Amino acid sequence: MTREQFRPADHPNDHFLLTTVVGSYPKPKWLDRARELYEDDDRSFDADYLEEAMDDAARLITEEHERAGLDAVVDGEMRRNEMVEYFADRIDGYEFNGRVKVWGHNYFDKPSVVDEVSYGEEWLVSEYDFTADVAARPVKVPITGPYTLARWSFNEVYDSEAELAYELAKLVNTEIEALVDAGARYIQIDEPALATTPDDHAIVGECLEHIVADVPDDVRLGLHVCYGDYSRIYPEMLDYPVEEYDIELCNGGYEQLDVFKETPFTKDLAMGVVDAHVAEVEPVAEIKENIEKALEIVPPERLTVSPDCGLKLLPRDVAYGKMENMVTAAREIEQELDAGELDIEPAAPSADD
C-alpha cells in the first residue's frame, strides 16, 4: 500500500480519505492572453515571457489547490494545451494537419502518426520539478496513456491501433521512469478512451504491463477512466497492474454504481464526488452522500475522493468551490467514521485482506 505516504503529518482524524483532483484546472485568463501574444507573429512576446507566465500560473494554481486543503496537488496542467496534443507535439513521428470537429462546437487538433514513434524531448519532468519545488504537499502527475494517444490519433504507419499503442507504451514507460527518478511518487495514467470501445481492455492491460515495468513499489500508480460503459471493462480491469482506479460516476447520477458491486472491487477506488461538467458548486451535504456511495464499494482505507474529471472547462471560482466543499465533506465523513456514526453496508475486502 502506497497511500499512507500522502496522509499529512497533522491530519486531524484517525480515518483518512485521500483527497486530490484528476488533473486539469481553469487557466487564469491572463495566461490564455499570454499564449495568444506568443503565437502572434506581429508581437514581440517571446518564449521567455510565455515561460514566465506559465511558471506564475503553475505556482498560483498549486497554491490554490493547497488552500482548498487537497492532500495531493497538481499544477492544473497550466503548461498543457490538451491531453493528446501536448504529448503528440513532443513525440517524434507525429505531425499536425489542422483541427477536426469532435462534438458540438468543440474542435481538436487531432495529430497523425506519419513515422515510427520515438522518445525525443522529455514530457513532464520539468513540469514536475517546478511544481514539487513550489508545493508544500505531495504532487500527483497525470500523464495521457498510450491507448488514448493511439486511439485519438490518425495512424498512417502501423498495421493496427494496438501495435501503435504498444509502441507508445514503451515511450510512456521511459517518461515515467524519468519522473520516478525526479522524485514523483503518485502518477496517474489517463485513459478516457478505454470505456468507450468494447473488447479493447486487453490491449490496455498489455500497455500497462509495459508502462509499469521496473517502477518501484513505493510509487502509487493510478488509472483514470471517464465516459463510456464501465461494464465493458469491469471486472477485467482489476487485473491491471495499477493500485488505484479513478472513475467518473457523479455526472451520470451514479447509474453505473452497481457495476462495481457485482464483483468485489479489490483495488483502491478514486471516485468522482463532484460533477466536472456542471457549473454549480455542490453543497457539502450532497458531496457527503456521494462519498457514502463510494463506501458501498470500498472501505475508507481504500478510498480517494476527487472530482469526476478535469475541471478546466468550469469558471475558476466554481472549480475552487467544488474542491473546497469536497475536502470539507471528506473531513466530516472521517469524523463520523471515527465516531462510529455512519451506517454503511461494509464493502468487500481487498485481495490483500
Side-chain angles (χ1 to χ4, degrees):
M1 290 287 292
T2 60
R3 189 171 175 274
E4 278 300 301
Q5 65 185 299
F6 304 106
R7 179 195 285 260
D10 59 350
H11 191 69
N13 305 315
D14 292 335
H15 281 86
F16 173 53
L17 304 180
L18 175 60
T19 58
T20 189
V21 287
V22 172
S24 69
Y25 195 76
K27 290 181 172 64
K29 292 181 176 59
W30 48 261
L31 178 58
D32 290 333
R33 180 56 178 155
R35 194 176 296 278
E36 290 173 3
L37 290 171
Y38 173 70
E39 293 172 352
D40 186 345
D41 293 336
D42 295 329
R43 303 278 185 170
S44 57
F45 195 91
D46 63 21
D48 289 341
Y49 294 153
L50 179 61
E51 186 70 24
E52 181 179 346
M54 291 190 295
D55 284 351
D56 289 344
R59 183 183 294 105
L60 175 67
I61 300 306
T62 300
E63 292 174 352
E64 196 159 298
H65 286 178
E66 292 181 340
R67 179 157 46 90
L70 295 174
D71 300 307
V73 302
V74 181
D75 77 344
E77 302 180 0
M78 292 295 107
R79 304 173 197 279
R80 310 187 199 183
N81 51 347
E82 196 275 338
M83 68 178 304
V84 172
E85 289 178 37
Y86 178 85
F87 294 96
D89 191 44
R90 287 157 176 78
I91 298 173
D92 293 341
Y94 272 94
E95 70 174 28
F96 293 89
N97 297 299
R99 301 173 72 78
V100 297
K101 191 172 185 179
V102 285
W103 70 86
H105 298 288
N106 293 289
Y107 287 81
F108 161 50
D109 201 355
K110 187 172 181 177
S112 298
V113 177
V114 297
D115 201 352
E116 291 185 358
V117 295
S118 62
Y119 187 86
E121 60 181 297
E122 58 95 354
W123 306 348
L124 299 174
V125 173
S126 297
E127 174 189 284
Y128 169 77
D129 283 341
F130 182 89
T131 309
D133 188 53
V134 301
R137 298 213 170 186
V139 174
K140 181 171 80 169
V141 183
I143 181 170
T144 303
Y147 178 76
T148 297
L149 288 173
R151 185 77 184 169
W152 291 358
S153 304
F154 295 113
N155 174 21
E156 301 177 15
V157 175
Y158 294 90
D159 292 337
S160 66
E161 281 185 353
E163 184 183 351
L164 171 58
Y166 297 148
E167 291 303 311
L168 288 167
K170 297 174 184 177
L171 309 189
V172 175
N173 170 263
T174 298
E175 182 66 14
I176 287 181
E177 287 186 348
L179 285 165
V180 170
D181 288 343
R185 289 299 177 268
Y186 195 172
I187 297 172
Q188 173 187 286
I189 301 160
D190 294 333
E191 289 287 17
L194 173 57
T196 64
T197 309
D199 305 322
D200 277 4
H201 58 268
I203 296 173
V204 176
E206 183 69 24
C207 287
L208 288 169
E209 293 291 345
H210 284 293
I211 289 171
V212 306
D214 302 321
V215 174
D217 291 340
D218 64 340
V219 175
R220 185 171 184 81
L221 288 173
L223 181 71
H224 172 61
V225 186
C226 52
Y227 315 114
D229 181 357
Y230 291 117
S231 67
R232 292 171 169 173
I233 58 174
Y234 190 82
E236 290 83 2
M237 73 181 196
L238 292 174
D239 293 328
Y240 293 163
V242 297
E243 190 172 355
E244 178 183 84
Y245 294 87
D246 188 300
I247 58 176
E248 175 185 12
L249 290 176
C250 189
N251 181 249
Y254 297 96
E255 291 181 356
Q256 296 193 65
L257 189 72
D258 287 344
V259 170
F260 301 101
K261 295 180 179 180
E262 294 171 2
T263 300
F265 201 102
T266 55
K267 300 287 186 77
D268 289 2
L269 171 66
M271 192 170 87
V273 297
V274 295
D275 193 338
H277 305 281
V278 174
E280 296 177 2
V281 178
E282 294 89 341
V284 170
E286 179 181 331
I287 300 173
K288 288 173 67 175
E289 291 177 0
N290 295 341
I291 294 174
E292 290 182 24
K293 291 181 175 68
L295 291 171
E296 296 173 13
I297 301 175
V298 295
E301 62 270 18
R302 289 199 280 120
L303 179 61
T304 298
V305 176
S306 73
D308 256 349
C309 201
L311 300 174
K312 68 178 182 180
L313 298 180
L314 295 174
R316 191 164 139 212
D317 61 334
V318 172
Y320 181 81
K322 285 177 182 282
M323 291 191 307
E324 187 175 47
N325 281 7
M326 184 184 77
V327 172
T328 299
R331 302 291 91 100
E332 290 186 7
I333 289 286
E334 290 171 351
Q335 293 169 3
E336 292 170 16
L337 287 166
D338 285 357
E341 296 172 354
L342 283 183
D343 183 20
I344 298 172
E345 184 176 343
S350 74
D352 298 328
D353 293 343

CSV table of all heavy atoms in Angstrom, one decimal, residues 57-96:
chain,number,residue,atom,x,y,z
A,57,ALA,N,1.5,30.9,-13.4
A,57,ALA,CA,0.2,30.3,-13.3
A,57,ALA,C,0.3,28.9,-12.5
A,57,ALA,O,-0.6,28.6,-11.7
A,57,ALA,CB,-0.4,30.0,-14.7
A,58,ALA,N,1.3,28.2,-12.8
A,58,ALA,CA,1.5,26.9,-12.1
A,58,ALA,C,1.7,27.1,-10.6
A,58,ALA,O,1.1,26.3,-9.8
A,58,ALA,CB,2.7,26.2,-12.7
A,59,ARG,N,2.4,28.1,-10.3
A,59,ARG,CA,2.6,28.4,-8.8
A,59,ARG,C,1.3,28.8,-8.2
A,59,ARG,O,0.9,28.3,-7.1
A,59,ARG,CB,3.6,29.5,-8.7
A,59,ARG,CG,4.0,29.9,-7.2
A,59,ARG,CD,4.9,31.1,-7.1
A,59,ARG,NE,6.2,30.7,-7.7
A,59,ARG,CZ,6.7,31.2,-8.9
A,59,ARG,NH1,6.0,31.9,-9.6
A,59,ARG,NH2,7.9,30.8,-9.3
A,60,LEU,N,0.5,29.6,-8.9
A,60,LEU,CA,-0.8,30.1,-8.4
A,60,LEU,C,-1.7,29.0,-8.2
A,60,LEU,O,-2.4,28.9,-7.1
A,60,LEU,CB,-1.3,31.2,-9.3
A,60,LEU,CG,-2.7,31.7,-9.0
A,60,LEU,CD1,-2.7,32.6,-7.8
A,60,LEU,CD2,-3.2,32.5,-10.2
A,61,ILE,N,-1.9,28.1,-9.2
A,61,ILE,CA,-2.9,27.1,-9.1
A,61,ILE,C,-2.5,26.0,-8.1
A,61,ILE,O,-3.3,25.4,-7.3
A,61,ILE,CB,-3.2,26.5,-10.5
A,61,ILE,CG1,-3.7,27.5,-11.4
A,61,ILE,CG2,-4.1,25.3,-10.3
A,61,ILE,CD1,-4.9,28.3,-10.9
A,62,THR,N,-1.2,25.7,-8.0
A,62,THR,CA,-0.7,24.7,-7.0
A,62,THR,C,-1.1,25.3,-5.6
A,62,THR,O,-1.6,24.5,-4.7
A,62,THR,CB,0.8,24.5,-7.1
A,62,THR,OG1,1.1,24.0,-8.4
A,62,THR,CG2,1.3,23.6,-6.1
A,63,GLU,N,-0.8,26.5,-5.3
A,63,GLU,CA,-1.1,27.1,-4.0
A,63,GLU,C,-2.7,27.2,-3.8
A,63,GLU,O,-3.1,27.0,-2.7
A,63,GLU,CB,-0.6,28.5,-3.9
A,63,GLU,CG,1.0,28.5,-3.9
A,63,GLU,CD,1.6,29.9,-4.0
A,63,GLU,OE1,0.8,30.9,-4.2
A,63,GLU,OE2,2.8,30.0,-3.8
A,64,GLU,N,-3.4,27.3,-4.9
A,64,GLU,CA,-4.9,27.3,-4.8
A,64,GLU,C,-5.4,25.9,-4.4
A,64,GLU,O,-6.3,25.8,-3.5
A,64,GLU,CB,-5.5,27.7,-6.1
A,64,GLU,CG,-7.0,28.1,-6.0
A,64,GLU,CD,-7.4,29.0,-7.2
A,64,GLU,OE1,-6.8,30.1,-7.4
A,64,GLU,OE2,-8.3,28.6,-8.0
A,65,HIS,N,-4.8,24.9,-4.9
A,65,HIS,CA,-5.1,23.5,-4.5
A,65,HIS,C,-4.8,23.3,-3.1
A,65,HIS,O,-5.6,22.6,-2.3
A,65,HIS,CB,-4.4,22.5,-5.4
A,65,HIS,CG,-4.9,22.4,-6.8
A,65,HIS,ND1,-4.3,21.6,-7.7
A,65,HIS,CD2,-6.0,23.0,-7.4
A,65,HIS,CE1,-5.0,21.7,-8.9
A,65,HIS,NE2,-6.0,22.5,-8.7
A,66,GLU,N,-3.7,23.8,-2.6
A,66,GLU,CA,-3.3,23.6,-1.2
A,66,GLU,C,-4.2,24.4,-0.3
A,66,GLU,O,-4.6,23.9,0.8
A,66,GLU,CB,-1.8,24.1,-1.0
A,66,GLU,CG,-0.8,23.1,-1.7
A,66,GLU,CD,0.6,23.5,-1.5
A,66,GLU,OE1,0.8,24.7,-1.1
A,66,GLU,OE2,1.5,22.7,-1.6
A,67,ARG,N,-4.6,25.6,-0.7
A,67,ARG,CA,-5.5,26.4,0.1
A,67,ARG,C,-6.9,25.7,0.2
A,67,ARG,O,-7.5,25.8,1.3
A,67,ARG,CB,-5.7,27.8,-0.6
A,67,ARG,CG,-6.6,28.7,0.2
A,67,ARG,CD,-6.3,30.2,-0.2
A,67,ARG,NE,-6.1,30.4,-1.6
A,67,ARG,CZ,-7.1,30.7,-2.5
A,67,ARG,NH1,-8.3,30.8,-2.0
A,67,ARG,NH2,-6.9,30.9,-3.7
A,68,ALA,N,-7.3,25.0,-0.8
A,68,ALA,CA,-8.5,24.2,-0.7
A,68,ALA,C,-8.4,23.0,0.2
A,68,ALA,O,-9.4,22.4,0.6
A,68,ALA,CB,-9.0,23.7,-2.1
A,69,GLY,N,-7.2,22.6,0.6
A,69,GLY,CA,-7.0,21.5,1.5
A,69,GLY,C,-6.7,20.2,0.9
A,69,GLY,O,-6.7,19.2,1.6
A,70,LEU,N,-6.4,20.1,-0.4
A,70,LEU,CA,-6.2,18.8,-1.0
A,70,LEU,C,-4.9,18.2,-0.4
A,70,LEU,O,-3.9,18.8,-0.2
A,70,LEU,CB,-6.0,19.0,-2.5
A,70,LEU,CG,-7.2,19.5,-3.3
A,70,LEU,CD1,-6.8,19.8,-4.8
A,70,LEU,CD2,-8.3,18.5,-3.2
A,71,ASP,N,-4.9,16.9,-0.3
A,71,ASP,CA,-3.8,16.1,0.2
A,71,ASP,C,-2.7,15.9,-0.9
A,71,ASP,O,-1.5,15.9,-0.5
A,71,ASP,CB,-4.3,14.7,0.7
A,71,ASP,CG,-5.3,14.9,1.8
A,71,ASP,OD1,-5.0,15.6,2.8
A,71,ASP,OD2,-6.4,14.3,1.7
A,72,ALA,N,-3.1,15.7,-2.1
A,72,ALA,CA,-2.2,15.6,-3.2
A,72,ALA,C,-2.6,16.6,-4.3
A,72,ALA,O,-3.8,16.6,-4.7
A,72,ALA,CB,-2.2,14.2,-3.8
A,73,VAL,N,-1.7,17.4,-4.7
A,73,VAL,CA,-2.0,18.5,-5.6
A,73,VAL,C,-1.4,18.3,-7.0
A,73,VAL,O,-0.5,17.5,-7.2
A,73,VAL,CB,-1.5,19.9,-5.0
A,73,VAL,CG1,-2.1,20.1,-3.6
A,73,VAL,CG2,0.1,19.9,-4.9
A,74,VAL,N,-1.9,19.1,-7.9
A,74,VAL,CA,-1.5,19.2,-9.3
A,74,VAL,C,-1.4,20.6,-9.7
A,74,VAL,O,-2.0,21.5,-9.0
A,74,VAL,CB,-2.5,18.4,-10.2
A,74,VAL,CG1,-2.0,18.5,-11.7
A,74,VAL,CG2,-2.7,17.0,-9.8
A,75,ASP,N,-0.6,21.0,-10.7
A,75,ASP,CA,-0.5,22.4,-11.0
A,75,ASP,C,-1.6,22.8,-12.0
A,75,ASP,O,-1.6,23.9,-12.5
A,75,ASP,CB,0.9,22.7,-11.7
A,75,ASP,CG,1.0,22.2,-13.1
A,75,ASP,OD1,0.1,21.4,-13.6
A,75,ASP,OD2,1.9,22.6,-13.8
A,76,GLY,N,-2.6,22.0,-12.1
A,76,GLY,CA,-3.7,22.3,-13.0
A,76,GLY,C,-3.4,22.2,-14.5
A,76,GLY,O,-4.2,22.6,-15.3
A,77,GLU,N,-2.2,21.6,-14.8
A,77,GLU,CA,-1.8,21.4,-16.2
A,77,GLU,C,-1.7,22.7,-16.9
A,77,GLU,O,-2.2,22.9,-18.1
A,77,GLU,CB,-2.7,20.4,-16.9
A,77,GLU,CG,-2.8,19.0,-16.2
A,77,GLU,CD,-3.7,18.0,-16.9
A,77,GLU,OE1,-4.3,18.4,-17.9
A,77,GLU,OE2,-3.7,16.9,-16.4
A,78,MET,N,-1.2,23.7,-16.3
A,78,MET,CA,-1.1,25.1,-16.8
A,78,MET,C,-0.2,25.1,-18.1
A,78,MET,O,-0.4,26.0,-18.9
A,78,MET,CB,-0.5,26.0,-15.7
A,78,MET,CG,-1.4,26.3,-14.6
A,78,MET,SD,-3.0,27.1,-15.0
A,78,MET,CE,-4.2,25.8,-14.9
A,79,ARG,N,0.7,24.2,-18.2
A,79,ARG,CA,1.6,24.2,-19.4
A,79,ARG,C,1.0,23.4,-20.6
A,79,ARG,O,1.6,23.4,-21.7
A,79,ARG,CB,3.0,23.7,-19.0
A,79,ARG,CG,3.6,24.4,-17.8
A,79,ARG,CD,4.9,23.7,-17.4
A,79,ARG,NE,5.2,24.2,-16.0
A,79,ARG,CZ,5.9,25.3,-15.8
A,79,ARG,NH1,6.2,26.1,-16.8
A,79,ARG,NH2,6.1,25.7,-14.5
A,80,ARG,N,-0.1,22.7,-20.4
A,80,ARG,CA,-0.6,21.8,-21.4
A,80,ARG,C,-1.8,22.5,-22.1
A,80,ARG,O,-2.7,23.1,-21.5
A,80,ARG,CB,-1.0,20.5,-20.8
A,80,ARG,CG,0.0,19.9,-19.9
A,80,ARG,CD,-0.4,18.5,-19.4
A,80,ARG,NE,0.3,18.0,-18.2
A,80,ARG,CZ,0.2,16.8,-17.7
A,80,ARG,NH1,-0.7,16.0,-18.2
A,80,ARG,NH2,0.8,16.5,-16.6
A,81,ASN,N,-1.8,22.3,-23.4
A,81,ASN,CA,-3.0,22.8,-24.2
A,81,ASN,C,-4.1,21.8,-24.2
A,81,ASN,O,-5.3,22.2,-24.2
A,81,ASN,CB,-2.5,23.2,-25.6
A,81,ASN,CG,-1.8,22.1,-26.3
A,81,ASN,OD1,-1.3,21.1,-25.7
A,81,ASN,ND2,-1.6,22.3,-27.6
A,82,GLU,N,-3.8,20.5,-24.3
A,82,GLU,CA,-4.8,19.5,-24.5
A,82,GLU,C,-4.1,18.1,-24.2
A,82,GLU,O,-2.9,18.0,-24.4
A,82,GLU,CB,-5.4,19.5,-25.9
A,82,GLU,CG,-6.7,18.8,-26.1
A,82,GLU,CD,-6.5,17.3,-26.4
A,82,GLU,OE1,-5.4,16.9,-26.8
A,82,GLU,OE2,-7.4,16.5,-26.1
A,83,MET,N,-4.9,17.1,-23.8
A,83,MET,CA,-4.3,15.9,-23.2
A,83,MET,C,-3.6,15.0,-24.3
A,83,MET,O,-2.8,14.2,-23.9
A,83,MET,CB,-5.3,15.1,-22.4
A,83,MET,CG,-6.4,14.5,-23.2
A,83,MET,SD,-7.5,13.6,-22.1
A,83,MET,CE,-6.4,12.4,-21.3
A,84,VAL,N,-4.0,15.2,-25.5
A,84,VAL,CA,-3.3,14.4,-26.6
A,84,VAL,C,-2.3,15.3,-27.3
A,84,VAL,O,-1.2,14.9,-27.6
A,84,VAL,CB,-4.3,13.8,-27.6
A,84,VAL,CG1,-3.6,13.1,-28.8
A,84,VAL,CG2,-5.1,12.7,-26.8
A,85,GLU,N,-2.8,16.5,-27.7
A,85,GLU,CA,-1.9,17.4,-28.5
A,85,GLU,C,-0.6,17.7,-27.8
A,85,GLU,O,0.5,17.7,-28.4
A,85,GLU,CB,-2.6,18.8,-28.7
A,85,GLU,CG,-3.8,18.7,-29.6
A,85,GLU,CD,-4.4,20.1,-29.7
A,85,GLU,OE1,-3.7,21.1,-29.6
A,85,GLU,OE2,-5.7,20.2,-29.8
A,86,TYR,N,-0.6,17.9,-26.5
A,86,TYR,CA,0.6,18.2,-25.7
A,86,TYR,C,1.6,17.2,-25.9
A,86,TYR,O,2.8,17.5,-26.1
A,86,TYR,CB,0.2,18.4,-24.2
A,86,TYR,CG,1.4,18.8,-23.4
A,86,TYR,CD1,1.9,20.1,-23.2
A,86,TYR,CD2,2.1,17.8,-22.7
A,86,TYR,CE1,3.0,20.4,-22.4
A,86,TYR,CE2,3.2,18.0,-21.9
A,86,TYR,CZ,3.6,19.3,-21.8
A,86,TYR,OH,4.7,19.6,-21.0
A,87,PHE,N,1.2,15.9,-25.7
A,87,PHE,CA,2.2,14.8,-25.8
A,87,PHE,C,2.6,14.5,-27.2
A,87,PHE,O,3.8,14.3,-27.5
A,87,PHE,CB,1.6,13.6,-25.1
A,87,PHE,CG,1.4,13.7,-23.7
A,87,PHE,CD1,0.2,14.1,-23.1
A,87,PHE,CD2,2.5,13.6,-22.8
A,87,PHE,CE1,0.0,14.3,-21.8
A,87,PHE,CE2,2.3,13.8,-21.4
A,87,PHE,CZ,1.1,14.1,-20.9
A,88,ALA,N,1.6,14.6,-28.2
A,88,ALA,CA,2.0,14.3,-29.6
A,88,ALA,C,3.0,15.3,-30.1
A,88,ALA,O,3.8,14.9,-30.9
A,88,ALA,CB,0.7,14.3,-30.4
A,89,ASP,N,2.9,16.5,-29.6
A,89,ASP,CA,3.8,17.6,-30.0
A,89,ASP,C,5.3,17.2,-29.6
A,89,ASP,O,6.2,17.8,-30.1
A,89,ASP,CB,3.4,18.9,-29.5
A,89,ASP,CG,4.1,20.1,-30.1
A,89,ASP,OD1,4.3,20.1,-31.3
A,89,ASP,OD2,4.6,21.0,-29.3
A,90,ARG,N,5.4,16.4,-28.6
A,90,ARG,CA,6.7,16.0,-28.0
A,90,ARG,C,7.2,14.6,-28.4
A,90,ARG,O,8.3,14.2,-28.0
A,90,ARG,CB,6.7,16.2,-26.5
A,90,ARG,CG,6.6,17.6,-26.1
A,90,ARG,CD,6.1,17.8,-24.7
A,90,ARG,NE,6.1,19.3,-24.3
A,90,ARG,CZ,5.3,20.2,-24.8
A,90,ARG,NH1,4.3,19.8,-25.6
A,90,ARG,NH2,5.4,21.4,-24.4
A,91,ILE,N,6.4,13.9,-29.2
A,91,ILE,CA,6.8,12.6,-29.6
A,91,ILE,C,7.2,12.6,-31.1
A,91,ILE,O,6.5,13.0,-31.9
A,91,ILE,CB,5.6,11.6,-29.4
A,91,ILE,CG1,5.2,11.5,-27.9
A,91,ILE,CG2,6.0,10.2,-30.0
A,91,ILE,CD1,3.9,10.7,-27.7
A,92,ASP,N,8.4,12.2,-31.3
A,92,ASP,CA,8.9,12.1,-32.7
A,92,ASP,C,8.0,11.1,-33.5
A,92,ASP,O,7.8,10.0,-33.0
A,92,ASP,CB,10.4,11.7,-32.8
A,92,ASP,CG,11.3,12.7,-32.2
A,92,ASP,OD1,10.9,13.9,-32.1
A,92,ASP,OD2,12.4,12.3,-31.8
A,93,GLY,N,7.6,11.4,-34.7
A,93,GLY,CA,6.8,10.6,-35.5
A,93,GLY,C,5.4,11.1,-35.7
A,93,GLY,O,4.6,10.6,-36.5
A,94,TYR,N,5.0,12.1,-34.9
A,94,TYR,CA,3.7,12.8,-35.0
A,94,TYR,C,3.8,14.1,-35.8
A,94,TYR,O,4.8,14.7,-35.8
A,94,TYR,CB,3.1,13.1,-33.6
A,94,TYR,CG,2.3,12.0,-32.9
A,94,TYR,CD1,3.0,11.2,-32.0
A,94,TYR,CD2,1.0,11.9,-33.1
A,94,TYR,CE1,2.2,10.2,-31.4
A,94,TYR,CE2,0.2,10.9,-32.5
A,94,TYR,CZ,0.9,10.1,-31.6
A,94,TYR,OH,0.1,9.1,-30.9
A,95,GLU,N,2.7,14.4,-36.5
A,95,GLU,CA,2.6,15.8,-37.1
A,95,GLU,C,1.1,16.2,-37.0
A,95,GLU,O,0.2,15.4,-36.8
A,95,GLU,CB,3.1,15.8,-38.5
A,95,GLU,CG,2.2,15.1,-39.5
A,95,GLU,CD,2.7,15.3,-41.0
A,95,GLU,OE1,3.9,15.5,-41.2
A,95,GLU,OE2,1.8,15.2,-41.9
A,96,PHE,N,0.9,17.5,-37.1
A,96,PHE,CA,-0.4,18.1,-37.0
A,96,PHE,C,-0.8,18.7,-38.4
A,96,PHE,O,0.0,19.3,-39.1
A,96,PHE,CB,-0.5,19.2,-36.0
A,96,PHE,CG,-0.3,18.7,-34.6
A,96,PHE,CD1,1.0,18.6,-34.0
A,96,PHE,CD2,-1.4,18.3,-33.8
A,96,PHE,CE1,1.2,18.1,-32.7
A,96,PHE,CE2,-1.2,17.8,-32.5
A,96,PHE,CZ,0.1,17.7,-32.0
